[in-house]
Every structure is written in C-alpha cells, then in structure tokens.
Amino acid sequence: MILASLLAVVLAVPALGQDIVYTSIHNITNIYGTWSSGSQNVMTGPGFAQPANESFIYPKTTGLSYSFTSDGYYEIARYRMNGNGSQPNCITGVLNWCHGTYTLNPNGSITTIPFGDGYQQIQDPCAAYSNFVQNYNDTEIYVQWGISQDPVKGYTLQLYQYDGTPLAPQWLVSTSPNMLPTQSLRNVTPPLTTNSGLTQNAIVLNKNAGERRWAIGSIHGILAIASGLGMMSLLL
Ligand SMILES: *[C@@H]1O[C@H](CO)[C@@H](O)[C@H](O)[C@H]1NC(C)=O
Ligand SMILES: *[C@@H]1O[C@H](CO)[C@@H](O)[C@H](O)[C@H]1NC(C)=O
Ligand SMILES: *[C@@H]1O[C@H](CO)[C@@H](O)[C@H](O)[C@H]1NC(C)=O
Ligand SMILES: *[C@@H]1O[C@H](CO)[C@@H](O)[C@H](O)[C@H]1NC(C)=O
Ligand SMILES: *[C@@H]1O[C@H](CO)[C@@H](O)[C@H](O)[C@H]1NC(C)=O
C-alpha cells in the first residue's frame, strides 16, 4: 500500500522513549466529546445501538463515531461494509458497538477496555449464517492520535489503529459527549474462551499485511500527505 510506505517515512522521526506532550502541535483541542466520520450518519449514543435487545438502528451510510468523556469513558459506533473482489455480490456488513474505559497512555497511544456488553451484527449474504449477532469485547489500542483543524469541517480527530493504519478522519460533533450510560447495559454470560489481548478483529478493522511499529512522530505531515492524495476516503 502506498500510504503504508508514506506513513513509515513520516513516522521515521520518533522521539523514542519520550512521553508525548499534548500541545497544540499534537492536538489543538482536547479529545473529549463526540466525533464522527464522513457525512456523520453514524453517531454514538441512543441513535445507534440498543443494547437491551442487542439491536441497531441502521445509519443511512457507513462510518464510525467515537466519544470520550473527561473522566475516562469511551463509546464506539461503527458501520462498515466489506466488498469481496472475487464475489462482488457478497458484501459483508458489520455494525459494531462497544463502550468502557479508556486511557491516554504516556507514549501517545490510547487503550480502550470494554465493559463486556458490546456486540456486533454481521450480515454476510453468502455465508451459511447470513445474519447474526455476537458479543464484542475486544480491548483495542490506537497507537497514535491527533487533532487538527480542517478549514471546512473544523476540528478533526485522527486515530491510528494497532498496526498504524489510519482510521477515517472524524469531525467534532459536540464537545459534550453524546453517549449511552457509561455502565454495562445488558447481562452477558462470559464465553468459555474469551477473545483476550489486543484486537485483531479482521472484520471490523482494516486488513493489513505485516506489522509496523513506531513511537512518537508528528502526525500532521501524514494528515497533509494522506489527504493530499485523497486516500483517507478510501480507508473507511
Ligand atoms: C490535548 O488533549 C488532551 C486530552 O484531551 C488535553 O488534556 C490537552 O489539553 C489537549 N491540548 C490542547 C492544546 O488542547
Ligand atoms: C429493541 O428495543 C428498542 C427499545 O429499546 C425498540 O425500539 C426496538 O424495536 C427493539 N428492537 C427489536 C428488534 O426488538
Ligand atoms: C469472498 O466470498 C467467498 C465466498 O463466500 C469467500 O470464500 C471469501 O472468503 C470471500 N473473500 C473475502 C475477502 O471476504
Ligand atoms: C505504548 O503504551 C501502551 C500502554 O502502556 C503499550 O501497551 C504499548 O505497547 C506502547 N507502545 C509502544 C510502541 O511502546
Ligand atoms: C470483557 O473484557 C474485559 C477486559 O479484557 C474483561 O475484564 C471482562 O471480563 C470481559 N467481559 C466479558 C463478559 O467477557
């Protein structure tokens, strides 16, 4: 992937072992609030997940939304469609919701630890079970984040997944987070085998070959390069 090599170049200037400093170079405002990608049809809060009966209200378009409170709670709403090159009619749809507590780590990453009541609905017209709901309780790590100013959309949150892949940029919807209650919202019987460790969920997250890692770098260069190439929109 072209972007992958660009990222590797831009991020090759890390201050190894140094703690991140949240100045206006890294984030021009704080992360608290609700953020949403694209046309902002996907939003955390009551309009997306209905945990009591494990259902979803379908957004008009795909996208993702993250909320963070100032006292350490987060919520994620995601709606994706994955195409299938060999079978164009086999488009898999995934609706995914979870919430819990997050940590802004000293090295600039974010760890999200779910309460355990998260779930996702998978629609795969070509699979034996074409539509089903399953628990989703993966701890996730975002290796880097930053907030910049978009001349049109305003404050823009950029998150980078565990493997460095950037998520679609998200615009600030509201500085007061729009979230469901920050506690477990349904009873979950813990599975016999849990999905422990950092998430590698191939359906929800972008597929990516090979692992890359780095420490702290300026992400503004990346944002400029990536959006200059118009690649961000491809990554949703
Ligand atoms: C960057 O974000 C952190 C966490 O939300 C916040 O504490 C800090 O004040 C922010 N920096 C600026 C310049 O707003
Ligand atoms: C789930 O519950 C909500 C209310 O919380 C209700 O509006 C919705 O119709 C229910 N959906 C299903 C599939 O039962
Ligand atoms: C495409 O669909 C086929 C048939 O259902 C499946 O075997 C294959 O794994 C799918 N490929 C991807 C990339 O999802
Ligand atoms: C950054 O810190 C987190 C939390 O301590 C840790 O899990 C992660 O491995 C660290 N990342 C790097 C690149 O050292
Ligand atoms: C969900 O994951 C968290 C963090 O790994 C764990 O503490 C909790 O027991 C899990 N809950 C369930 C229901 O699996």
Side-chain angles (χ1 to χ4, degrees):
M1 212 172 150
I2 301 168
L3 186 55
S5 42
L6 284 176
L7 286 175
V9 171
V10 175
L11 290 167
V13 257
L16 265 171
Q18 226 169 308
D19 285 358
I20 190 109
V21 183
Y22 296 124
T23 62
S24 53
I25 296 168
H26 179 271
N27 56 294
I28 57 173
T29 187
N30 68 49
I31 199 171
Y32 317 138
T34 291
W35 305 82
S36 175
S37 72
S39 46
Q40 301 188 315
N41 288 318
V42 177
M43 206 79 81
T44 57
F48 183 71
Q50 300 180 319
N53 56 16
E54 289 169 60
S55 67
F56 288 97
I57 298 168
Y58 276 70
K60 281 205 277 288
T61 57
T62 55
L64 43 93
S65 173
Y66 284 65
S67 285
F68 300 94
T69 70
S70 58
D71 59 349
Y73 295 102
Y74 77 96
E75 180 176 332
I76 304 175
R78 290 177 274 219
Y79 180 26
R80 290 183 57 87
M81 288 192 197
N82 296 331
N84 183 323
S86 57
Q87 305 222 287
N89 55 327
C90 296
I91 297 169
T92 309
V94 181
L95 292 138
N96 171 281
W97 172 83
C98 59
H99 65 169
T101 56
Y102 76 95
T103 308
L104 300 178
N105 300 314
N107 65 11
S109 62
I110 303 176
T111 312
T112 60
I113 299 176
F115 288 134
D117 58 344
Y119 59 98
Q120 60 186 10
Q121 180 171 4
I122 298 176
Q123 296 172 313
D124 182 353
C126 302
Y129 300 96
S130 61
N131 188 353
F132 61 95
V133 175
Q134 60 183 200
N135 291 334
Y136 180 85
N137 190 37
D138 286 4
T139 294
E140 299 181 36
I141 188 160
Y142 295 87
V143 294
Q144 186 60 270
W145 65 279
I147 298 168
S148 57
Q149 178 86 39
D150 180 281
V152 177
K153 302 278 197 171
Y155 290 131
T156 307
L157 172 65
Q158 184 61 60
L159 294 172
Y160 295 84
Q161 296 179 98
Y162 69 94
D163 63 354
T165 315
L167 289 178
Q170 297 175 70
W171 331 118
L172 185 63
V173 174
S174 154
T175 50
S176 56
N178 178 33
M179 296 164 76
L180 292 173
T182 53
Q183 64 193 52
S184 184
L185 298 175
R186 66 187 181 101
N187 290 326
V188 181
T189 317
L192 292 174
T193 52
T194 56
N195 203 351
S196 63
L198 301 178
T199 185
Q200 303 275 320
N201 191 309
I203 298 168
V204 170
L205 301 170
N206 290 327
K207 289 206 178 100
N208 204 286
E211 288 231 346
R212 291 179 305 282
R213 52 183 25 254
W214 59 75
I216 317 308
S218 161
I219 70 155
H220 282 74
I222 309 161
L223 280 172
I225 292 170
S227 52
L229 291 175
M231 297 206 61
M232 287 310 201
S233 55
L234 297 177
L235 293 161
L236 179 57

